[in-house]
Amino acid sequence: NAGVTQTPKFQVLKTGQSMTLQCAQDMNHEYMSWYRQDPGMGLRLIHYSVGAGITDQGEVPNGYNVSRSTTEDFPLRLLSAAPSQTSVYFCASSSTGTATDTQYFGPGTRLTVL
Amino acid sequence: TQLLEQSPQFLSIQEGENLTVYCNSSSVFSSLQWYRQEPGEGPVLLVTVVTGGEVKKLKRLTFQFGDARKDSSLHITAAQPGDTGLYLCAGEVTGGGNKLTFGTGTQLKVEL
């Protein structure tokens, strides 16, 4: 199993550009989520999904869109990138989505918005 | 407002020393997890604690959940260079709907 995979590994955007961060998991997990990690602030939840066709907002959803058409994939879209979205983005998945469940994280995407 | 504060923020020690990392909050947590993250990688789960006062050991790592479930600690005995990394606590606030809140992180460096 590859676990949770993310592409690209690094990305540089100009303000106003759009892009999609890809996330895929091969563990048949129902729960998937996106976090951003900024220095001194830990990880903050952007959006999450409890199954195909179901998504919801996390702590910091503004400027991001998600969709979940399949169990395996959970892409994160930035419609109009802003410098404040410079961060490291992590996708995670777990079997049930309960807080005591093991979350498996991808290797991250480092995004810079100029 | 950060719900989970970790201390210290940075820690640099010599191989063989002991250390303790703290995770504190004014909120009550239903459960708490500890993760370790290495550069360029995602966090990896170390342990989950769910009962106030619970103590779990993982080789040289000892995790404790406070009696009131508002704090936790991670103690490492005889630290090794392989312990180097970012340590994160994460908890589910009671009634928080299964959402995890992550702490601010402790960056540990263990030198030879």
Side-chain angles (χ1 to χ4, degrees):
Chain A
N1 287 350
V4 179
T5 58
Q6 292 183 238
T7 56
K9 184 73 172 174
F10 301 95
Q11 183 71 50
V12 179
L13 293 177
K14 294 181 179 179
T15 297
Q17 287 185 316
S18 62
M19 78 159 296
T20 299
L21 280 64
Q22 302 293 342
C23 173
Q25 53 92 8
D26 62 358
M27 297 174 282
N28 202 32
H29 285 169
E30 290 296 324
Y31 184 88
M32 296 185 73
S33 55
W34 276 102
Y35 293 87
R36 60 177 289 173
Q37 184 174 36
D38 302 292
M41 301 189 71
L43 280 80
R44 292 181 291 169
L45 182 65
I46 304 171
H47 284 286
Y48 65 97
S49 169
V50 299
I54 306 169
T55 63
D56 205 348
Q57 297 181 350
E59 180 186 356
V60 288
N62 292 341
Y64 308 95
N65 282 348
V66 292
S67 60
R68 183 96 180 269
S69 56
T70 67
T71 299
E72 294 78 21
D73 300 297
F74 190 43
L76 178 71
R77 297 183 185 85
L78 284 71
L79 297 180
S80 180
S84 61
Q85 294 178 304
T86 293
S87 187
V88 182
Y89 291 84
F90 289 97
C91 179
S93 75
S94 66
S95 179
T96 64
T98 59
T100 54
D101 199 1
T102 300
Q103 284 206 82
Y104 296 88
F105 284 83
T109 294
R110 183 174 294 273
L111 175 68
T112 302
V113 183
L114 302 175
Chain B
T1 302
Q2 188 68 36
L3 283 179
L4 277 171
E5 296 286 346
Q6 288 185 237
S7 61
Q9 187 176 0
F10 299 97
L11 191 55
S12 181
I13 62 172
Q14 298 296 312
E15 183 180 18
E17 293 184 12
N18 301 332
L19 67 114
T20 302
V21 175
Y22 299 93
C23 175
N24 295 294
S25 176
S26 58
S27 300
V28 176
F29 286 84
S30 301
S31 62
L32 198 132
Q33 297 180 322
W34 283 92
Y35 291 81
R36 180 168 65 210
Q37 183 180 16
E38 299 188 14
E41 299 181 8
V44 176
L45 180 67
L46 296 173
V47 76
T48 300
V49 286
V50 297
T51 305
E54 182 176 3
V55 177
K56 280 191 173 180
K57 292 190 176 183
L58 184 64
K59 297 184 180 178
R60 294 176 293 101
L61 279 61
T62 301
F63 305 85
Q64 185 163 8
F65 201 11
D67 291 340
R69 292 185 286 130
K70 291 184 177 182
D71 57 271
S72 181
S73 64
L74 158 60
H75 182 80
I76 301 179
T77 302
Q80 299 176 359
D83 296 326
T84 294
L86 178 69
Y87 288 82
L88 295 160
C89 62
E92 175 200 12
V93 175
T94 300
N98 283 321
K99 295 187 183 67
L100 280 182
T101 296
F102 277 82
T104 50
T106 294
Q107 185 66 55
L108 171 65
K109 183 175 182 180
V110 182
E111 299 181 287
L112 292 170

